[in-house]
């Protein structure tokens, strides 16, 4: 009897073209769009529009030094006038404009402090921050050069000057991740986890359809136990999620070079995620009063869990309150487990807690479904 139910569910899923769109086409589309937008975030080049009102050798030297720094590219402002460029900033059509004012070269030649002007949009803090950091760095290098000249004029040799100019604090960068991280390591597993939970829509529709058709009422008069029926409805959807996750992760590997890490560890996380999402789907199907309510609840669980679980943005970027809430969602643990394997090189031994939580969510959902089954089956509307 369980085989018959499993076969029925598989055939219904294969006939449902809408399910293929939600579970395969749409997540691939999201991965492509967001990988295209953010995929090159690690190699971003900041373009700095500038206007050289001085035109001196000193201003040219300053701009050449800026242009040599990796990650930044200078672009001469092509507007008709400086006033037009400033107006663009006021209008919000430009974030910033670097200006070398007239007289800059004279001030430098005279050994006097010279100013560089950065006109900016007051609300574009994030866009301007890297440029400000760059200008501060270049300003510091000019300051160091001036100090070296003064010390040399006082008769200090190069060795002594180097010792005096050593920074009091140095920063040592120590990378602990086994694999290079980029936007793809956030996007592909993130959207894979998010769209897995849309399988619940299919489960709600099929369970409610069985009740409306009278199938569940008829089953009540047979020796078949509720657990057998629920397993029959559960297993096909677990298989669909396993296929869905495999397709999406393989797509990320082939198209974007996503490093999957330990294959067995990833496979176990995918299995745990499949059990989790479909177990919650069983529970939800037996708790909601209508198909529309069920779809609305799926949207809340899938989208809300994606936000607080760190699927859309790195978890560390979220507010502390949101991070705390995220700890109670299966999406957080699935994403964390995948990134532990993909980025940090963990194997099965390092994802035990993740697997425990994912399977616990799924089995808890099955338990609630069992408790609700009799009441659900006897309900006629």
């Amino acid at each position: 009897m369980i085989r018959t139910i499993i076969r029925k569910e598989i055939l219904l899923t294969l006939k449902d073209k809408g399910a293929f769109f939600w579970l395969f086409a749409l997540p691939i589309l999201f991965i492509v769009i967001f990988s295209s937008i953010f995929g090159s975030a690690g190699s971003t080049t900041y373009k700095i529009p500038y206007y050289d009102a001085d035109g001196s050798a000193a201003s040219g030297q300053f701009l050449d030094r800026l242009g040599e720094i990796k990650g930044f590219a200078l672009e001469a402002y092509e507007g008709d006038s400086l006033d037009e460029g400033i107006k663009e900033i006021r209008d919000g059509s430009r974030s910033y404009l670097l200006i070398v004012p007239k007289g800059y070269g004279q001030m430098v030649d005279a050994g006097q402090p010279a100013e560089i002007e950065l006109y900016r949009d007051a609300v574009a803090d994030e866009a301007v921050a890297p440029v400000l950091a760059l200008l501060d760095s270049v300003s510091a290098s000019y300051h160091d050069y001036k100090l070296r000249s003064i010390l040399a004029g006082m008769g200090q040799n190069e060795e002594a000057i180097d010792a005096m100019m050593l920074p009091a604090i140095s920063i040592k960068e120590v990378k602990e991740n086994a694999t290079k991280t980029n936007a793809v390591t956030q996007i592909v597993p993130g959207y894979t986890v998010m769209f897995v939970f849309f399988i619940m829509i299919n489960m709600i529709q099929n369970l409610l359809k069985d009740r409306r058709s009278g199938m569940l009422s008829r089953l009540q008069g047979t020796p078949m136990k509720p657990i057998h029926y629920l397993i029959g409805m559960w297993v096909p959807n677990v298989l669909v999620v396993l296929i869905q996750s495999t397709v999406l992760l393989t797509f990320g590997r082939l198209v974007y070079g996503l490093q999957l890490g330990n294959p067995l560890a990833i496979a176990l996380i995918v299995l745990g995620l499949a059990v989790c999402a479909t177990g919650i789907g069983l529970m939800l199907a037996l708790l909601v009063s209508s198909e529309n309510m069920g779809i609305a609840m799926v949207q809340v669980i899938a989208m809300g869990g994606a936000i607080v679980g760190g699927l859309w943005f790195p978890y560390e970027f979220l507010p502390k309150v949101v991070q705390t809430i995220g700890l109670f969602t299966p999406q957080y643990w699935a994403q964390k487990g995948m990134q532990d394997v993909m980025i940090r090189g963990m194997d099965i031994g390092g994802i035990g807690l993740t697997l425990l939580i994912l399977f616990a969510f799924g089995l808890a959902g099955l338990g609630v479904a069992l408790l609700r089954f009799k009441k659900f089956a006897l309900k006629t509307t």
Side-chain angles (χ1 to χ4, degrees), residues 25-79:
L26 192 60
I28 288 176
L29 181 62
F30 268 64
I31 289 171
V32 170
I33 291 174
F34 285 92
S35 293
S36 299
I37 295 172
F38 301 109
S40 59
S43 58
T44 297
T45 298
Y46 289 93
K47 295 179 180 179
I48 305 177
Y50 72 91
Y51 183 90
D52 187 359
D54 191 51
S56 64
S59 66
Q61 184 183 30
F62 171 78
L63 292 171
D64 287 343
R65 180 169 293 189
L66 284 180
E68 292 171 355
I69 298 177
K70 186 178 179 181
F72 295 87
L74 293 179
E75 290 184 344
Y77 176 66
E78 297 179 351

Side-chain angles (χ1 to χ4, degrees), residues 215-238:
M215 177 181 171
L216 291 185
S217 297
R218 292 192 296 272
L219 286 176
Q220 292 289 87
T222 70
M224 187 176 194
K225 296 180 180 179
I227 185 65
H228 295 157
Y229 171 77
L230 291 175
I231 289 176
M233 299 294 288
W234 194 11
V235 170
N237 291 288
V238 170

